[in-house]
Amino acid sequence: QLAAARREATGLPAGRLQREDFLRALLDHTDDGIHVCVLDRDSSGRQSRRLVYANDRFVEMSGQTLEELLECADLETLIVSRDDSDTERVQRERICRGETTMGLCSWLRPDGEDNYHEWSVAPLELQDTQYLVVVSRDVTARILGERALRESEGRYRSLVENTPDLTIRFDRRGRCVYTNPPSRRFLGKEPEECVGCTPDQLGLTEKQSRSVQ
């Protein structure tokens, strides 16, 4: 009865209403943030992006309310690009040509929470109006994890580089892939000279060689 009443009220065929309901359910339940904005230009040619649609996930990622996003004259003022200037230039050029493009950004969230999202935008022109359809994926956990790994590796390298003890790393074939500076004192070789050498070639004792194998 509800479906029949809706068909009568809208005048749309049942098949189209079902497709619209399916599409809306898909947009509302995806893990990606999806929004559509109008691409405006002022008299000076400056572009601005005004929101016309956003799913719940997009609103959640932004840290803003839907009302705040809709009232914003330009969404760009709420976002910080994480791409370099050359990449940003290419992105703008591709959008102007009506081509899809991708990038990495962060929201200026009111709570100050760290966040990163990869976005993909598809320009669309309808009735002389330019729209941007944007899909955003939260990659905060991955970015912060990679940062923590780099910092951990940096601390480990600093420790190894500055220890007075000899440290050697071998690959599975038993060939040296790294030595720290004390190789000069213990092996009589520069660290670079040790790379690719076997334990025997480095002059390690038989006991030391067996531990490597």
Side-chain angles (χ1 to χ4, degrees):
Q1 291 178 343
L2 290 175
R6 188 177 173 205
R7 287 198 301 272
E8 184 177 348
T10 61
L12 296 174
R16 179 173 174 180
L17 288 175
Q18 290 175 348
R19 289 193 296 271
E20 289 181 354
D21 288 343
F22 173 78
L23 179 59
R24 180 168 293 279
L26 182 65
L27 294 175
D28 288 342
H29 292 87
T30 179
D31 287 335
D32 294 333
I34 299 175
H35 75 281
V36 179
C37 57
V38 175
L39 186 61
D40 292 325
R41 288 186 176 85
D42 59 23
S43 57
S44 66
R46 180 183 176 278
Q47 293 183 348
S48 62
R49 301 183 183 187
R50 179 169 46 84
L51 184 71
V52 294
Y53 167 80
N55 68 351
D56 291 343
R57 181 62 178 133
F58 177 79
V59 176
E60 179 185 352
M61 291 167 60
S62 74
Q64 318 281 334
T65 65
L66 179 58
E67 290 71 21
E68 289 171 333
L69 293 172
L70 289 171
E71 291 173 359
C72 182
D74 185 5
L75 286 183
E76 289 292 314
T77 61
L78 303 178
I79 295 174
V80 176
S81 174
R82 298 300 180 179
D83 296 312
D84 58 54
S85 57
D86 289 338
T87 301
E88 290 181 34
R89 176 180 53 78
V90 173
Q91 291 166 348
R92 288 192 295 269
E93 291 174 351
R94 289 181 63 87
I95 291 174
C96 289
R97 293 197 300 265
E99 301 173 356
T100 59
T101 188
M102 298 179 294
L104 180 67
C105 286
S106 296
W107 282 100
L108 293 172
R109 292 176 57 101
D111 57 14
E113 181 179 317
D114 267 346
N115 69 96
Y116 298 89
H117 65 272
E118 292 177 337
W119 54 266
S120 175
V121 59
L124 178 67
E125 186 169 342
L126 293 174
Q127 299 178 344
D128 297 326
T129 300
Q130 287 186 301
Y131 296 89
L132 298 178
V133 181
V134 187
V135 178
S136 302
R137 175 160 295 180
D138 191 336
V139 292
T140 303
R142 191 196 77 199
I143 297 293
L144 295 182
E146 291 172 350
R147 179 192 298 172
L149 179 60
R150 287 194 299 269
E151 292 174 351
S152 176
E153 290 175 342
R155 289 192 296 270
Y156 172 76
R157 178 170 291 276
S158 177
L159 176 65
V160 171
E161 292 284 339
N162 292 284
T163 181
D165 300 323
L166 176 64
T167 301
I168 309 176
R169 288 174 52 196
F170 293 92
D171 61 19
R172 293 182 178 181
R173 298 178 301 166
R175 293 191 176 274
C176 173
V177 294
Y178 170 80
T179 61
N180 61 345
S183 65
R184 302 184 182 99
R185 177 162 55 92
F186 285 94
L187 305 176
K189 295 177 180 293
E190 292 293 327
E192 297 79 11
E193 297 178 86
C194 299
V195 175
C197 294
T198 64
D200 289 341
Q201 291 171 329
L202 291 177
L204 299 184
T205 65
E206 184 177 348
K207 181 179 180 180
Q208 291 170 327
S209 298
R210 284 199 304 270
S211 68
V212 171
Q213 296 170 354

